[in-house]
Every structure is written in C-alpha cells, then in structure tokens.
Amino acid sequence: MNPFMFHTPSRIYFGEETSLTAPDLMREIGGSKVLIITDDVLVKTGLMAPIIDAFKNDGNFEVTVFSDVPPDSDVKCVGSATAVGRGQGCDCILSIGGGSVLDTAKAVAICLTFGGNLEEYQGLNNLSTKLLPHIAIPTTSGTGSEVSMVAMIKDSAERKKLLFGSRFIAPDTAILDPKLLVTLPPKLTAATGLDAVTHAIEAFTSLSTVSVFTDVLCIEALKLLFKWLPIATKSGDDLDARANTLVASTMAGIAFTNTGVGVVHALAHATGGEFGTHHGMTNSVFLPHGMSFNMDAAGDRYAEIARQLKFTENSNNEIAAKTLIDKVEELASSINLPRRLRDMGVPALDGQGVEDLANIASTDPAIMFNPKEATIEDIIGIYERAY
Ligand SMILES: NC(=O)c1ccc[n+]([C@@H]2O[C@H](COP(=O)([O-])OP(=O)(O)OC[C@H]3O[C@@H](n4cnc5c(N)ncnc54)[C@H](O)[C@@H]3O)[C@@H](O)[C@H]2O)c1
Ligand SMILES: [Fe+2]
C-alpha cells in the first residue's frame, strides 16, 4: 500500500431539523456575536427565518444577517460581508446556502481573522492559524464546501476564480439537514448532483494522496448519487432522496478535499470564470469528455468503479471503463442537464478565445492532480468536443 495522509477537520451532524440546533453547536465552538451569511433566494423561501429565530430566541447571541451573496460570489461581496461583520464586532459565522454562500463565508472568516486584503491569502497553505468559529449548513447537495479545505471566489475584474486552500478553511461544523433542500429546483438539484459525481470520479482517479479512505467515500457516494439523484431531481420533496444525495455530496467533498480533482474541474473553473456558467452544470458537460481523455491513465480505475457499482461484470477494463462513461452520460441526460456547452449559452470562441481559455485552465490548481498531463492542445480538444 502506498503511503498517504487523510484528514477531515469538520464535525458532521445529520438529521431532519438539525439546523435548528445550530445555536447549541455554536456555543460548543465559541463566539456570541454571530454573522449569518446567506442569500436573498433562501431568505425568500422562508428557510432562513426559523434558524435566525433559533439564534435570537436562544438569548445568548447577537445576530447580524448578511444576505447579499450572488451565485458564484466574488471578491467584492466578500469585502461587503467582511465590513458588515467587522462593524458589528462579529466573532463567529453561520453560513446557510449553496457553495457560493459557504465559500463566501470561508473567505469572510479569513478576512475577519487576519485582516488585510483577501487576495493576500490566495493559493495553498497561506493561513497560519485557525479561523474564527464557523458552522456551515449546505442547501444544495453538490459542492461539499461544508467539509472542504478550499474556497473558490471569483475575481470579477480578472474574470477568473481565485482558490484558497488550507486545512484551517474547513468549517468547524457541518450541519446536514435534508429538509432545507426541498425547495431546490430540479435543474439546480441535477446540476449540483453532477458536481458531486465529478468530485467522486476525479478524487478516485487523482494523482494525489488517494487512499482506501477516499476510495470508500467515492464509491459509496457514487452508489448513492446514481440511485437517488434522479429521484431527488424528479421529486424534490422526497426526503430520503434529499438525505441520500446530501450525505453523498458531503462524502465526495471529504474525498476530493484530500485528493484534489482534475481536468474537468480545471475547465469548469475557467469556463465558469469567463462566462458565468453554473459550476455543477459545467462539470456535467465536461465530465464524459475529460474521462475519455484520461482513459489510458485512469481506465482501470473507471473499470473498478463500474464493477463496484454493478454496471458491468465485464473483466475487460477498457470495456468496463467505457460503460462508466456511458452511465455518466445517461445519468446527466436522464435528469435533463444540457449536454453541450453551446446549449448552456457559452458563445462560440475563435481560435485565440479557446486558446486563452485553455491557458487559464492549464494554470488552474485542479489540473495538478489530473491522472495524466494535459497540454494546451489536449485541453482545447476536450473543450471542442464538449462544445
Ligand atoms: N469550496 C468547495 O469545496 C467548492 C466545491 C465545488 C464548488 N464550489 C463553488 O460553489 C459554487 C457553486 O455552488 P452551488 O452549486 O451550491 O450553487 P450556488 O451556491 O451558486 O447556488 C445556486 C442557486 O441556488 C439557489 N439555492 C441554493 N439552495 C437553495 C434551496 N435550498 N432552495 C432554493 N434555491 C436554492 C441559490 O440561491 C442560487 O441562486 C461555485 O462558486 C463553485 O466554484 C466550491
Ligand atoms: Fe466541484
């Protein structure tokens, strides 16, 4: 067995209405002036009110709410939320939302803890100590941000995503409450679910510290996602489907945050940064093409997944690996995800445009862990096949 390191810093609570125990859990980790970070869509759904009330009624907290987080949050939003938190003297954070909200909260935690400009801390392992207490409550089942040791924040001026990676970024506590996902529309359920599928597949085939711990998480997450994602997409109020996809997405999050991801994520980050496409949806389009590109390096591992998920009993690895790619395509089509970039509103790029995008993808940190090297020409090839 190869040497490895496996680490998961966040405590995880799962259960219907566990979100209402957030004040008790916050007391355990410290802080009394809580900055609640969320977005306006969630406030309008009515999901936020009982959680905010739980803090107010507890009697031990001063509560400040910041709800201006846009999808694919950016440096400017982090600055505004930090100013609000600093102005109110907030000493702990509760984030409730999708990956955009959770990543914003992680970045705000960096700024409130260390001061200065967010950009100073970008990259890997640039934080020296623990951040202020943070509880994260995901309302999408895809990103795994509630347990991951990274945050992605858009630099709108540069039209690219900045990565912040450190073990101190992971929230102290993740609360998985499936009831909070019943309002998530089918398209976002499908798209975020494919983000989780991509995490599990790229983590399983990563060049980095793959271990038996991450393998088990990836396989179990994929079993749950292939079974329950179509049900969660079709019947959003099916709490079993919400619970299983939510747990799966957190499992895939723990896996990928230990192993890194790959070329599919590198291309999704570049395309999302440039055209504002949804992260999970963009991954879903690139995934089969990225897998086909990686076949010669990762085919045996794809075959292992296909056999473990009982998609095939064929002992020929190439055939079994292709079965997995077909199953991914089938899953994405069955839940009505667009299958080409052009169907997601990505404009046709000229030669220089594709090359610029490929250059951005080639410097994205995700690409470091792809099972084989991807040249600019390779990345352009994947992009063109996905277009
Ligand atoms: N840090 C990580 O580990 C990590 C991993 C993957 C992706 N990401 C980042 O996460 C972001 C994407 O997050 P996402 O896919 O969760 O989408 P999102 O957070 O951008 O949310 C998409 C939309 O869904 C709405 N929404 C969320 N929950 C809802 C609910 N329960 N009911 C109704 N509407 C709801 C939001 O208001 C928003 O309009 C990207 O910025 C991506 O880069 C981070
Ligand atoms: Fe992702």
Side-chain angles (χ1 to χ4, degrees):
M1 202 183 272
N2 291 326
F4 65 83
M5 195 278 277
F6 177 84
H7 180 61
T8 182
S10 310
R11 191 180 269 201
I12 299 164
Y13 290 84
F14 166 82
E16 277 175 45
E17 303 203 331
T18 36
S19 53
L20 300 178
T21 66
D24 296 335
L25 300 179
M26 191 65 92
R27 236 191 321 278
E28 273 179 23
I29 59 174
S32 61
K33 294 185 175 179
V34 58
L35 176 61
I36 297 184
I37 300 183
T38 185
D39 71 31
D40 284 335
V41 176
L42 288 163
V43 172
K44 284 196 193 108
T45 59
L47 290 176
M48 292 303 307
I51 299 166
I52 295 172
D53 286 350
F55 273 95
K56 287 189 174 159
N57 296 338
D58 182 275
N60 290 299
F61 293 96
E62 278 176 38
V63 180
T64 303
V65 179
F66 180 90
S67 64
D68 281 341
V69 180
D72 265 333
S73 176
D74 58 12
V75 173
K76 195 167 152 231
C77 169
V78 172
S80 308
T82 301
V84 170
R86 194 168 285 140
Q88 298 299 319
C90 293
D91 57 9
C92 58
I93 295 179
L94 179 84
S95 57
I96 310 175
S100 300
V101 165
L102 271 45
D103 281 9
T104 300
K106 290 171 167 178
V108 171
I110 294 174
C111 295
L112 286 180
T113 306
F114 296 113
N117 280 330
L118 179 63
E119 287 91 330
E120 289 170 39
Y121 305 101
Q122 71 167 299
L124 294 176
N125 303 320
N126 288 330
L127 306 178
S128 50
T129 57
K130 205 187 150 324
L131 307 183
L132 47 98
H134 177 191
I135 295 180
I137 307 183
T139 62
T140 61
S141 45
T143 69
S145 180
E146 65 279 5
V147 288
S148 78
M149 298 179 251
V150 292
M152 301 292 303
I153 300 290
K154 197 162 157 177
D155 180 341
S156 295
E158 297 289 321
R159 301 177 78 153
K160 65 176 193 183
K161 293 267 201 151
L162 308 178
L163 174 124
F164 301 82
S166 159
R167 67 196 169 100
F168 298 121
I169 283 182
D172 301 277
T173 304
I175 301 180
L176 311 182
D177 182 344
K179 274 198 159 176
L180 301 182
L181 280 88
V182 296
T183 51
L184 189 67
K187 192 145 240 160
L188 281 165
T189 302
T192 51
L194 254 290
D195 189 19
V197 168
T198 310
H199 292 156
I201 291 178
E202 292 206 299
F204 196 78
T205 52
S206 162
L207 268 191
S208 181
T209 51
V210 165
S211 70
V212 65
F213 289 85
T214 53
D215 279 3
V216 168
L217 289 164
C218 294
I219 294 292
E220 291 307 315
L222 287 168
K223 281 184 188 165
L224 292 173
L225 288 162
F226 272 92
K227 175 171 177 189
W228 291 101
L229 184 55
I231 303 169
T233 305
K234 194 161 167 240
S235 313
D237 55 359
D238 184 323
L239 278 180
D240 283 339
R242 289 302 189 184
N244 281 295
T245 49
L246 181 55
V247 166
S249 120
T250 302
M251 290 165 83
I254 298 171
F256 91 74
T257 202
N258 276 277
T259 61
V261 277
V263 70
V264 175
H265 266 82
L267 268 160
H269 292 153
T271 310
E274 184 68 22
F275 303 113
T277 53
H278 180 265
H279 174 74
M281 201 176 283
T282 320
N283 273 329
S284 90
V285 172
F286 281 123
L287 182 56
H289 302 286
M291 290 173 77
S292 296
F293 168 74
N294 283 330
M295 264 297 265
D296 46 349
D300 294 355
R301 296 284 277 168
Y302 296 150
E304 205 178 323
I305 298 175
R307 287 193 281 265
Q308 293 229 34
L309 268 64
K310 303 206 182 327
F311 290 153
T312 180
E313 287 181 355
N314 200 313
S315 58
N316 178 307
N317 281 353
E318 201 181 331
I319 295 174
K322 283 191 177 140
T323 306
L324 179 66
I325 301 177
D326 291 345
K327 288 284 180 184
V328 166
E329 189 59 43
E330 227 173 79
L331 174 66
S333 303
S334 75
I335 52 180
N336 298 321
L337 284 168
R339 304 313 308 133
R340 298 180 306 182
L341 294 172
R342 71 182 71 183
D343 301 332
M344 299 174 54
V346 174
L349 297 176
D350 60 16
Q352 188 58 48
V354 190
E355 206 172 316
D356 291 347
L357 198 86
N359 273 316
I360 296 172
S362 75
T363 56
D364 188 282
I367 209 141
M368 281 192 288
F369 308 111
N370 196 60
K372 75 181 212 199
E373 196 191 334
T375 63
I376 297 292
E377 289 69 35
D378 293 330
I379 298 172
I380 291 175
I382 299 171
Y383 180 88
E384 285 177 341
R385 284 188 289 281
Y387 193 76

